[in-house]
Amino acid sequence: MKKQNILVTGANGQIGSDLIPELKKIYGDSHVIATDISEKPNAETPFEVLDVLDAKAINSVFKKYQITQVYHLASLLSAKSELNPRHAWNVNINGLFNIMDNCVENKISKLFWPSSIAVFGPNSPKIDTPQFTTMDPDTVYGISKLAGERWCHHYHFSKSLDVRSLRYPGVISYKHEPGGGTTDYAVDIYFKAVQEGRYECYLTEDTILPMMYIPDAIKATIQLMESPSHSLGLRSGYNIAGMSFAPEDLAKEILNYIPDFKVIYRPDFRQRLADTWPESVNDQFAKADWNWQPEYDIKSMTEDMIKNVRMLTPV
Ligand code: AKB
């Protein structure tokens, strides 16, 4: 079998930080090339500084490492996108074009691109949101993710690009600090609970959103990418469900570990974004096409998060 060389963009972000070690286990350390707009201390190796808006630079990194597969994770998340719409469109869409065109030119065998539950909008059904339904996102991020999904579908059928995508719910992890999303409260709350015993939440206590613990998100990503192409009926983004909860549910779980934990609720501009997203999604296509099944619920995730955040917190 031909050796695979995997390129990851946005490698320093939340998904990249957990995905790269798993890819290295499969393909070998020197075959996973981490890239990002800047290098951080203790960056994964091999590492290249790469701006996804620079199509020529993408081409030369593809050639330098003889890349065969790409995980294009570089993106601006919802809260940051709302504050800088043009930049978000540029990175999220023109960056995607640059990657897809280079994938076609360099005959890349597979491309992964992350979509989001933000593709849904205020008129989408809120509960058990189907794969195919009304989609009228009115957030900057959601608009770019829905457009990106349509372009993925288009490149698959017009240029035979083997592109695969997931609509990630809010992803919860401890290796990486929250990076400008709306669902990030569900990461931050654990750190503040352990470190300060108190958290100020920017969403109301009863805002239910679809969420997923990082091991499930990584498992879904790799499982989708390892599936045979012919089994995949969707080239836009698969709905994947993990769990659904509101800030008050998470606070209740954390109280089992930190009994005097206090949360105060001060909704800000992110509330509007969350209000337009589903509470839960229907993932029947992911289950049918590639046997998707999550492992973690709010209880098992909280046990693991508290344990790991405590280990990361100096006493
Ligand atoms: C965000 O909150 O922006 C992301 C997402 C739902 O895609 N986590």
Side-chain angles (χ1 to χ4, degrees), residues 14 75-81 114-119 141-142 145 167-172 179-185 202 209-211 270 273 277:
Q14 186 193 29
S75 177
L76 252 68
L77 292 180
S78 57
K80 276 200 180 153
S81 294
S115 186
S116 161
I117 51 147
V119 292
Y141 178 65
K145 286 295 174 186
R167 291 175 181 157
Y168 286 126
V171 175
I172 293 132
T182 300
T183 58
D184 287 355
Y185 88 84
Y202 54 78
L209 289 169
M211 298 280 185
R270 288 168 278 195
L273 313 190
W277 294 349

Side-chain angles (χ1 to χ4, degrees), residues 34-310:
T35 74
D36 210 307
I37 186 90
S38 59
E39 193 165 356
K40 64 170 188 192
N42 306 320
E44 292 282 350
T45 50
F47 184 93
E48 290 279 337
V49 171
L50 183 63
D51 180 353
V52 296
L53 295 178
D54 187 343
K56 274 198 183 141
I58 295 170
N59 198 11
S60 37
V61 175
F62 277 18
K63 291 203 159 52
K64 177 173 170 187
Y65 292 96
Q66 299 180 356
I67 297 300
T68 58
Q69 287 186 35
V70 177
Y71 289 74
H72 172 41
L73 307 179
S75 177
L76 252 68
L77 292 180
S78 57
K80 276 200 180 153
S81 294
E82 213 59 27
L83 299 174
N84 202 343
R86 275 175 193 263
H87 182 53
W89 181 261
N90 208 12
V91 173
N92 294 358
I93 292 299
N94 292 329
L96 175 61
F97 273 128
N98 288 340
I99 291 287
M100 288 198 298
D101 286 338
N102 270 300
C103 283
V104 173
E105 188 186 325
N106 289 281
K107 300 191 171 39
I108 297 299
S109 69
K110 283 185 246 181
L111 166 65
F112 175 81
W113 179 74
S115 186
S116 161
I117 51 147
V119 292
F120 298 109
N123 292 297
S124 308
K126 271 206 132 0
I127 296 172
D128 204 30
T129 308
Q131 178 75 36
F132 299 105
T133 186
T134 302
M135 296 170 95
D136 59 344
D138 63 3
T139 65
V140 173
Y141 178 65
I143 293 167
S144 72
K145 286 295 174 186
L146 183 54
E149 279 197 8
R150 300 323 304 158
W151 281 115
C152 287
H153 177 92
H154 186 79
Y155 267 65
H156 178 68
F157 288 101
S158 67
K159 297 179 196 277
S160 304
L161 179 61
D162 186 349
V163 54
R164 302 161 183 220
S165 178
L166 297 173
R167 291 175 181 157
Y168 286 126
V171 175
I172 293 132
S173 66
Y174 54 86
K175 282 195 195 148
H176 188 263
E177 281 180 17
T182 300
T183 58
D184 287 355
Y185 88 84
V187 175
D188 215 15
I189 193 170
Y190 286 107
F191 282 88
K192 293 287 187 321
V194 169
Q195 292 164 2
E196 297 170 23
R198 186 181 175 280
Y199 180 61
E200 187 172 312
C201 185
Y202 54 78
L203 298 182
T204 58
E205 62 266 45
D206 56 353
T207 306
I208 300 174
L209 289 169
M211 298 280 185
M212 183 171 286
Y213 195 30
I214 190 84
D216 278 336
I218 300 304
K219 184 178 85 167
T221 308
I222 291 177
Q223 218 174 312
L224 174 67
M225 285 295 270
E226 304 276 292
S227 297
S229 180
H230 63 80
S231 67
L232 304 177
L234 295 177
R235 297 302 179 151
S236 48
Y238 278 93
N239 278 4
I240 43 164
M243 58 189 104
S244 285
F245 57 75
E248 62 189 358
D249 304 318
L250 202 46
K252 222 166 106 193
E253 287 302 324
I254 295 173
L255 277 171
N256 292 324
Y257 299 86
I258 303 169
D260 52 357
F261 179 47
K262 296 258 171 322
V263 185
I264 53 166
Y265 296 95
R266 287 223 174 86
D268 69 10
F269 75 99
R270 288 168 278 195
Q271 184 66 44
R272 188 190 74 77
L273 313 190
D275 284 343
T276 68
W277 294 349
E279 290 188 3
S280 59
V281 297
N282 180 301
D283 57 3
Q284 66 179 90
F285 287 90
K287 284 181 174 142
D289 288 3
W290 44 279
N291 292 320
W292 164 241
Q293 197 60 53
E295 277 170 33
Y296 284 86
D297 61 13
I298 189 170
K299 277 201 182 306
S300 48
M301 173 182 75
T302 299
E303 188 185 344
D304 203 57
M305 277 296 285
I306 295 281
K307 188 181 81 194
N308 282 292
V309 171
R310 277 184 171 146

